[in-house]
Amino acid sequence: MSTGLRDGLRVFAQSPVHRTPSLASLFIAVIAWTTFLFSLVAWAVNIHHFIHKDSLTQLLYEVAADSLYHQHGGLAFESLEHRRSVLSSTLLSSQNTLERIRRDNAKSNSTTSPASTALTVAEKQQKHNLENLHRTCAGVTAFRVKDPDPYAVDNGKILGVRIEVSVKGKFAAPYYLLLNRAFPENGDLRIHKHTIPPCIPLQALVARYLPQRSPSSENGSMQQSRPQDLHRLVRTLRQELVSHQLRLDAVVKLRRDAGLSEDFGAGSVRRRRGKAGIADVKAIDVAAREIEIRWADASTARILLSKKGVVEKVVARSSDGSTRMKAIERAVKNGDGRVEGVLERLVRSSEAV
């Protein structure tokens, strides 16, 4: 029996039946019974916790299961949305579907009919497909944008040119050329902004194909020696960008063929030795016109490339730099002289020795 219960019984036992309990006795009895009730509740809670000691773990499991259910449900919903988008694009891109929608729209003669709405969506999809086709096949697309600057020249009208470069089935980040007209009355274009790499001679090409009018010494009017040719500028610029990407890809290919990491900094840190004793291959300049090949014995070869990736000059020296390695120089320049086959020629040369 608990202490509170015994105290309560003792108080009532000491009090005679014919006497009325005093206020102090009643107060003590209430405190004793309250203590007993609290003890009973605490005992019940302890028993419940002992029986359900893993209730918190079970709750965590339930929360995790509910979270996984919602996560997988969201993924399934996203997958269904993606599949719906693909199917819609496929159906709207079909010429048969477009013809059927046009026939139904011609029969309805209403601008609010379902056929009219479907025709609007189908024509929008056809325009989107045409834009993607131009971007994939043409490589150069033009678009119009507006300069948000309220004080921009020519009311903010800008002609944008997007240049796509694809190397071995993969598109690099597109390059952009933005042009505006400083003097709208003569219609001459000039470069506003661009994302062309600094290794590309953009300013020389602009001076050649987009000459600006110069003021005349006689009457102060603007004179132009030759007309502007935006098409020639974009075509020549794209050739430069394609050659640049091909040279960068050639360096990556040389590292991969040599058994080195495609990361340009990994070869020098790990000191890994590849084929023919090559330890590192890297481009010295940003334009990838100069390539350095370093062997494990610290001998090096510097290769100068043309814009089209042909080896023009090569200098190979020993580790101390005092001796020219003529055999390596001849091996690099033999054959077709392309940079992509440098490693194969070096391997054949080392095997012959």
Side-chain angles (χ1 to χ4, degrees):
M1 187 179 295
S2 64
T3 306
L5 180 59
R6 287 197 301 268
D7 294 340
L9 293 176
R10 188 181 301 112
V11 170
F12 284 102
Q14 292 177 358
S15 302
V17 178
H18 61 278
R19 291 182 58 186
T20 302
S22 62
L23 183 61
S25 301
L26 290 175
F27 182 73
I28 294 174
V30 170
I31 293 177
W33 279 103
T34 304
T35 305
F36 169 72
L37 292 176
F38 273 111
S39 301
L40 185 62
V41 171
W43 175 77
V45 169
N46 290 333
I47 293 297
H48 182 270
H49 178 70
F50 177 77
I51 295 175
H52 302 281
K53 60 181 179 180
D54 292 332
S55 59
L56 180 60
T57 305
Q58 183 179 1
L59 178 62
L60 292 177
Y61 283 155
E62 292 177 356
V63 171
D66 186 66
S67 176
L68 288 175
Y69 172 77
H70 285 292
Q71 181 179 2
H72 286 291
L75 292 176
F77 183 72
E78 292 179 0
S79 177
L80 289 176
E81 280 191 338
H82 178 69
R83 182 173 178 80
R84 175 180 176 274
S85 177
V86 172
L87 291 176
S88 300
S89 301
T90 304
L91 290 175
L92 293 174
S93 301
S94 174
Q95 292 295 330
N96 295 331
T97 304
L98 183 60
E99 291 178 1
R100 293 184 61 180
I101 293 176
R102 285 175 177 173
R103 287 198 301 266
D104 294 342
N105 184 51
K107 294 178 181 179
S108 62
N109 294 326
S110 176
T111 58
T112 60
S113 62
S116 177
T117 305
L119 181 61
T120 303
V121 176
E123 290 178 349
K124 184 178 180 180
Q125 181 65 35
Q126 293 292 330
K127 292 180 180 179
H128 182 71
N129 294 342
L130 182 61
E131 180 182 355
N132 291 340
L133 184 63
H134 277 286
R135 292 187 61 184
T136 304
C137 299
V140 177
T141 52
F143 56 93
R144 295 178 181 178
V145 292
K146 185 175 180 60
D147 193 343
D149 186 3
Y151 302 101
V153 298
D154 196 16
N155 296 325
K157 297 178 181 178
I158 293 179
L159 174 64
V161 178
R162 182 193 298 109
I163 303 177
E164 306 276 358
V165 178
S166 174
V167 178
K168 293 185 177 180
K170 295 182 180 180
F171 279 96
Y175 300 96
Y176 292 94
L177 196 66
L178 303 180
L179 305 101
N180 61 5
R181 294 181 297 182
F183 304 98
E185 59 274 5
N186 57 35
D188 288 346
L189 295 173
R190 68 172 185 177
I191 301 297
H192 177 57
K193 292 182 182 298
H194 66 88
T195 60
I196 308 301
C199 58
I200 304 298
L202 178 61
Q203 297 301 327
L205 295 177
V206 169
R208 181 178 180 181
Y209 297 112
L210 290 183
Q212 301 297 316
R213 296 176 185 267
S214 58
S216 176
S217 58
E218 298 178 357
N219 52 10
S221 61
M222 305 296 288
Q223 292 185 354
Q224 190 173 13
S225 58
R226 59 184 184 276
Q228 293 186 339
D229 194 345
L230 181 60
H231 294 85
R232 290 285 301 275
L233 170 66
V234 174
R235 184 163 60 248
T236 307
L237 184 59
R238 187 175 185 277
Q239 292 176 357
E240 294 281 347
L241 292 172
V242 171
S243 300
H244 178 234
Q245 288 293 333
L246 289 176
R247 292 194 300 269
L248 292 177
D249 185 72
V251 176
V252 175
K253 181 180 181 300
L254 288 177
R255 293 185 61 87
R256 183 171 57 248
D257 294 344
L260 304 174
S261 172
E262 295 185 9
D263 185 8
F264 289 92
S268 58
V269 175
R270 299 179 182 178
R271 301 290 181 181
R272 183 178 177 181
R273 182 173 178 177
K275 295 181 180 179
I278 296 176
D280 192 18
V281 179
K282 63 181 179 180
I284 300 177
D285 59 340
V286 181
R289 293 287 302 275
E290 295 187 22
I291 299 177
E292 182 184 72
I293 301 177
R294 183 175 54 82
W295 281 265
D297 58 355
S299 57
T300 58
R302 294 283 184 93
I303 303 174
L304 179 64
L305 302 177
S306 66
K307 291 183 178 181
K308 297 183 179 181
V310 179
V311 178
E312 292 183 344
K313 296 180 181 180
V314 56
V315 176
R317 294 186 179 275
S318 59
S319 57
D320 55 359
S322 60
T323 307
R324 292 278 297 271
M325 306 173 69
K326 296 293 185 178
I328 292 180
E329 294 179 0
R330 288 192 298 269
V332 171
K333 298 188 69 174
N334 281 340
D336 57 357
R338 296 287 306 176
V339 63
E340 293 84 0
V342 167
L343 183 67
E344 297 179 2
R345 297 193 290 269
L346 288 175
V347 171
R348 288 198 301 265
S349 176
S350 62
E351 291 176 353
V353 175

